[in-house]
Amino acid sequence: MSGAAASCGEPAHKMAVKSETCVVYGEGDVLYAAMLEAIGRATAVIRLESYIFAGDEIGWRFADALVEKARKGLTVRVHVDAAGALFEGTAKLLRYLTQAGVETRWFNRWRWREPLRYNRRNHRKLLVVDDHCIYIGGFNLHRESSFALFGPTRWRDVHVCLTGPVSVQAAALFDDGWNHRIRRALPPWEGNYRLVPNATRACRRTLYCSYLDALADAKHHIYLTTPYFVPNRKFRCALAAASRRHVDVRVLLPAHSDHRLVHWTGHALARPLARAGVRFFEYLPRMLHTKVIVVDSRWATVGSANTDYRSFFVNRELNLVSRSATLCERLERLFHEDVAQARPIELTIRRRERIRGLVASFGRRVRRWL
C-alpha cells in the first residue's frame, strides 16, 4: 500500500504524497490541516470557494482561521454556493465572517423572479493563498470527510495542492466567478499543469471536450472514478469505442450513494458499456466522492466535476488537468488501491430489479436535472 491511499482505518497523517511540485491528499483530516496551515502563512490575499462550507466543527475551524487573517488586514474572500449550503448552518457562519471583515458572497441564491437560475450551481472546491499555492479537488468543507469526527465511514475523496505559476491562473479564475465574468479562452499550460473550467466564452464545453479528446487518444487504459455516473450518449460512445480498441477501460462507482436515483440510472447506463467490454466496480468501504480520470499514465484530471450532464454543461466546475507522469502514477495507485476494496458490478437484469430499471429509465430522461 502506498502513502497515497489507505484502508478505512488508516491514520490521516499517512495520506499526503508529494509529486513534483504537487501533493495529493486522500484524507480530509490531513488536507484540512494543510489548508489551515497555508491560511496561517498567508501574507496578502486568501480566496476560498466551496460548494459546501458547513457550519460544523470543520467549517468553524476554517472560519476562525480566516477571521484571524482578516483582522490582521489581509484580503479574505469566501464564495459559497447557496444550494450546497442550504441545510448546513452556513448562513450563521457567513454572518460571522462578514462581521469580522471577510468579504463573502453567495452564489445564486433563490429568487422567485428567476427560479431557473437556481439550477446553476457553483460546484468548485478551491483555495488560493497569496497567488502562491492552490488546493483543488473534490473535498467539501464538512465533518463527513473527517476520520476524527465522522469515523471509518467518512467520505472518500481526492484533493491536490500545487505551488507556482498555476496559482496565478487559479486566482484569476476565482476573480472571474467573484465578479460574474466568463473567461474568453482557456488559461495556457503551466509546465505539466492546466486549470480547466467547464465553460469559456469561446467554448461552453471546454472541460467536456478535453475529456472526449483524452478518451479518443487512449491507447492502453482509462481509469475513471466518479460518484455520479450519468454521462450523455457521446461520452458513453467514447468509452465503448476505447474498449473496442482493446483499451482497458475501468469505471469505479460508489456502492453506497447519497443519490439513489442517480445510482440506479448509472447502473442502467453501464449495462450497454459492459457489453462493449468496459468493466465497472463498486467501492465498498464508504461513500465515494472522488472525481478522477487517468489515461495511459500520461494524462489525468482531478477536480470538482462529476461524470454527468450537470457538471459538463450546467454548473460552474474547475478541474486540474495534468500531463505529469509522476502525478498520473500517484493517481493510478490510488485507483488500484480503491479497486482492491471494490467488487465487480453485476449488471445482469434480475426480476427483482425491474422496478429499479423503470426508475432508472425515468432518471435517464431527466438526467439534465440530476
Side-chain angles (χ1 to χ4, degrees):
M1 181 175 292
S2 76
S7 64
C8 291
E10 190 71 21
H13 68 273
K14 294 185 178 180
M15 298 299 292
V17 177
K18 290 189 177 180
S19 167
E20 298 178 350
T21 60
C22 182
V23 182
V24 178
Y25 294 92
E27 283 290 342
D29 289 324
V30 69
L31 169 68
Y32 297 150
M35 292 172 71
L36 289 167
E37 184 179 347
I39 289 170
R41 293 195 306 267
T43 59
V45 184
I46 299 169
R47 299 170 172 91
L48 173 66
E49 60 183 335
S50 184
Y51 181 65
I52 297 175
F53 191 171
D56 58 19
E57 301 95 327
I58 297 299
W60 282 101
R61 199 177 300 168
F62 274 83
D64 287 337
L66 294 169
V67 164
E68 180 180 351
K69 304 308 287 190
R71 287 174 174 164
K72 290 181 179 179
L74 276 69
T75 299
V76 182
R77 291 178 173 171
V78 174
H79 203 178
V80 177
D81 186 81
L86 187 60
F87 302 110
E88 300 287 346
T90 308
K92 181 179 179 181
L93 185 146
L94 259 62
R95 284 196 298 270
Y96 167 69
L97 291 173
T98 303
Q99 291 166 3
V102 175
E103 299 178 48
T104 62
R105 287 187 182 173
W106 292 97
F107 183 84
N108 276 2
R109 301 195 81 168
W110 174 262
R111 296 180 182 177
W112 289 104
R113 294 181 179 180
E114 300 176 284
L116 294 180
R117 182 171 173 264
Y118 191 72
N119 183 52
R120 187 166 187 250
R121 311 310 330 155
N122 180 11
H123 197 238
R124 297 179 178 185
K125 292 90 176 173
L126 177 68
L127 171 67
V128 189
V129 179
D130 288 342
D131 298 353
H132 171 69
C133 76
I134 70 168
Y135 290 81
I136 184 172
F139 276 97
N140 288 294
L141 300 181
H142 60 170
R143 71 191 317 273
E144 284 81 355
S145 293
S146 167
F147 178 79
L149 296 171
F150 205 72
T153 58
R154 71 212 178 277
W155 290 16
R156 176 64 159 142
D157 222 322
V158 172
H159 229 72
V160 170
C161 173
L162 276 175
T163 58
V166 73
S167 303
V168 178
Q169 288 186 4
L173 287 164
F174 176 96
D175 290 345
D176 286 344
W178 184 263
N179 295 303
H180 308 290
R181 295 192 303 255
I182 298 178
R183 181 168 291 270
R184 178 176 295 278
L186 282 177
W189 283 92
E190 292 289 356
N192 287 321
Y193 304 102
R194 188 182 206 177
L195 291 173
V196 181
N198 55 330
T200 64
R201 278 189 287 167
C203 176
R204 298 190 62 82
R205 301 185 171 196
T206 51
L207 185 59
Y208 174 70
C209 290
S210 71
Y211 282 11
L212 292 182
D213 289 344
L215 298 181
D217 290 341
K219 294 178 175 57
H220 305 291
H221 60 258
I222 298 168
Y223 300 147
L224 166 60
T225 304
T226 182
Y228 311 118
F229 183 74
V230 196
N232 64 1
R233 184 176 181 276
K234 192 170 184 179
F235 192 97
R236 300 197 306 273
C237 287
L239 290 176
S243 182
R244 293 189 181 104
R245 296 195 308 270
H246 305 292
V247 175
D248 179 13
V249 183
R250 306 185 203 182
V251 180
L252 181 62
L253 306 176
H256 315 288
S257 177
D258 58 342
H259 292 287
R260 189 163 295 182
L261 176 58
V262 174
H263 184 73
W264 292 344
T265 303
H267 279 226
L269 294 174
R271 286 193 184 96
L273 294 176
R275 290 195 289 270
V278 177
R279 290 190 284 170
F280 289 85
F281 301 86
E282 286 182 323
Y283 181 69
L284 296 171
R286 44 195 165 118
M287 169 62 190
L288 181 74
H289 198 246
T290 303
K291 312 143 195 318
V292 174
I293 305 177
V294 187
V295 177
D296 290 349
S297 306
R298 60 178 177 80
W299 185 96
T301 183
V302 56
S304 64
N306 298 304
T307 307
D308 61 12
Y309 186 94
R310 176 172 288 278
S311 283
F312 289 154
F313 309 123
V314 180
N315 290 343
R316 292 181 69 248
E317 307 281 1
L318 185 63
N319 273 34
L320 172 70
V321 174
S322 175
R323 51 195 182 193
S324 161
T326 306
L327 177 57
C328 289
E329 186 274 331
R330 297 300 185 190
L331 293 174
E332 283 188 3
R333 191 179 301 179
L334 279 173
F335 179 85
H336 288 303
E337 290 172 354
D338 286 346
V339 167
Q341 300 179 76
R343 67 187 174 200
I345 298 180
E346 177 58 60
L347 292 170
T348 57
I349 300 177
R350 301 184 182 93
R351 182 175 299 177
R352 61 186 170 85
E353 293 179 339
R354 287 177 180 172
I355 294 177
R356 291 187 180 183
L358 292 173
V359 175
S361 178
F362 171 76
R364 288 196 297 271
R365 295 176 186 275
V366 299
R367 63 182 179 272
R368 297 187 179 191
W369 301 92
L370 296 178

